[in-house]
């Protein structure tokens, strides 16, 4: 396989990373400040929520890094290798971590009676999307594991 076949996917992953980084640095603090001014009774939650949202970007960027490693393995014709299975496993764990972090935040906001319906809806969407990504990565990991078993059996057959 030629090296450039995954070029557009790599560009998309990098672009997603740059957009999320820019939003995390510029838009999230602005939005947190705006919401604290709009709802002064919840202004004490401004920095804890902002910190919580920024912490959830760590597993997100780690998953993007693993996606780039996965695409590099495909470029170097190592798609059916244990390194690819490892990358899929890390993506699965990152997605599960994001889901759990948002669930904890969701429950905390409900407990504090600080739940804004719009924010909760966005949190539920993120939880659902992360869960779908985790399930999809787990399925791909299982399929790739099976393919590697079949490949090693075929190599042993004379």
């Amino acid at each position: 396989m030629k090296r450039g076949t995954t070029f557009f996917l790599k560009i998309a992953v990098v672009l997603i990373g740059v957009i999320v980084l820019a939003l995390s640095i510029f838009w999230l603090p602005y939005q947190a400040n705006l919401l604290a001014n709009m709802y002064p009774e919840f202004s004490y939650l401004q920095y804890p929520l902002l910190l919580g949202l920024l912490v959830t970007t760590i597993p997100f960027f780690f998953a993007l890094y693993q996606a780039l490693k996965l695409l590099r393995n495909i470029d170097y014709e190592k798609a059916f290798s244990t390194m690819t299975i490892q990358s899929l496993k890390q993506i699965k764990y990152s997605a599960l971590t994001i889901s759990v972090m948002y669930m904890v935040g969701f429950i905390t906001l409900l407990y504090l009676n600080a739940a804004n319906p719009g924010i909760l809806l966005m949190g539920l969407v993120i939880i659902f999307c992360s869960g779908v990504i985790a399930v999809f990565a787990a399925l791909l990991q299982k399929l790739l594991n099976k393919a590697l078993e079949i490949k090693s059996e075929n190599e042993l057959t004379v």
Side-chain angles (χ1 to χ4, degrees), residues 2 89 142 147:
K2 290 185 181 178
K89 182 191 257 184
K142 190 176 270 192

Side-chain angles (χ1 to χ4, degrees), residues 88 91-92 130-143:
L88 284 170
I91 291 170
K92 174 182 72 174
S130 296
V132 168
I133 290 170
V135 168
F136 187 67
L139 286 173
L140 283 177
Q141 180 187 351
K142 190 176 270 192
L143 285 172

Side-chain angles (χ1 to χ4, degrees), residues 4 9 20-21 26 36 38 45 49 69 101 103 107 116 121 147:
L9 289 174
V20 169
L21 183 65
F26 300 112
M38 286 173 76
L45 291 173
L49 286 175
K69 279 178 53 177
M101 288 175 143
M103 279 190 238
I107 292 168
N116 181 330
L121 183 62

Side-chain angles (χ1 to χ4, degrees), residues 65-98:
Y65 170 71
Q66 293 299 322
L68 286 174
K69 279 178 53 177
L70 189 67
L71 292 171
R72 189 185 69 218
N73 287 340
I74 292 170
D75 275 347
Y76 290 122
E77 296 183 5
K78 296 179 184 176
F80 294 101
S81 68
T82 56
M83 293 182 297
T84 304
I85 292 173
Q86 232 9 62
S87 291
L88 284 170
K89 182 191 257 184
Q90 297 299 327
I91 291 170
K92 174 182 72 174
Y93 289 144
S94 295
L96 286 174
T97 302
I98 292 169

Side-chain angles (χ1 to χ4, degrees), residues 47-65:
Y47 294 111
L49 286 175
L50 184 60
L51 181 66
L53 288 172
L54 292 176
V55 166
T56 60
T57 61
I58 294 169
F60 176 78
F61 286 118
F62 182 70
L64 287 183
Y65 170 71

Side-chain angles (χ1 to χ4, degrees), residues 88-158:
L88 284 170
K89 182 191 257 184
Q90 297 299 327
I91 291 170
K92 174 182 72 174
Y93 289 144
S94 295
L96 286 174
T97 302
I98 292 169
S99 288
V100 168
M101 288 175 143
Y102 271 91
M103 279 190 238
V104 168
F106 188 81
I107 292 168
T108 304
L109 285 178
L110 287 175
Y111 178 74
L112 294 173
N113 275 340
N116 181 330
I119 292 173
L120 292 180
L121 183 62
M122 286 188 340
L124 285 174
V125 167
I126 292 171
I127 290 168
F128 177 74
C129 290
S130 296
V132 168
I133 290 170
V135 168
F136 187 67
L139 286 173
L140 283 177
Q141 180 187 351
K142 190 176 270 192
L143 285 172
L144 195 57
N145 228 350
K146 192 69 173 168
L148 277 175
E149 286 176 19
I150 292 170
K151 180 182 172 189
S152 66
E153 285 177 14
N154 286 340
E155 288 174 354
L156 295 175
T157 306
V158 177

Side-chain angles (χ1 to χ4, degrees), residues 26-39 42-43 45-47 49-51 53:
F26 300 112
W27 185 76
L28 272 178
Y30 168 76
Q31 198 65 27
N33 195 23
L34 184 71
L35 287 173
N37 290 334
M38 286 173 76
Y39 303 103
F42 299 119
S43 64
L45 291 173
Q46 176 183 0
Y47 294 111
L49 286 175
L50 184 60
L51 181 66
L53 288 172

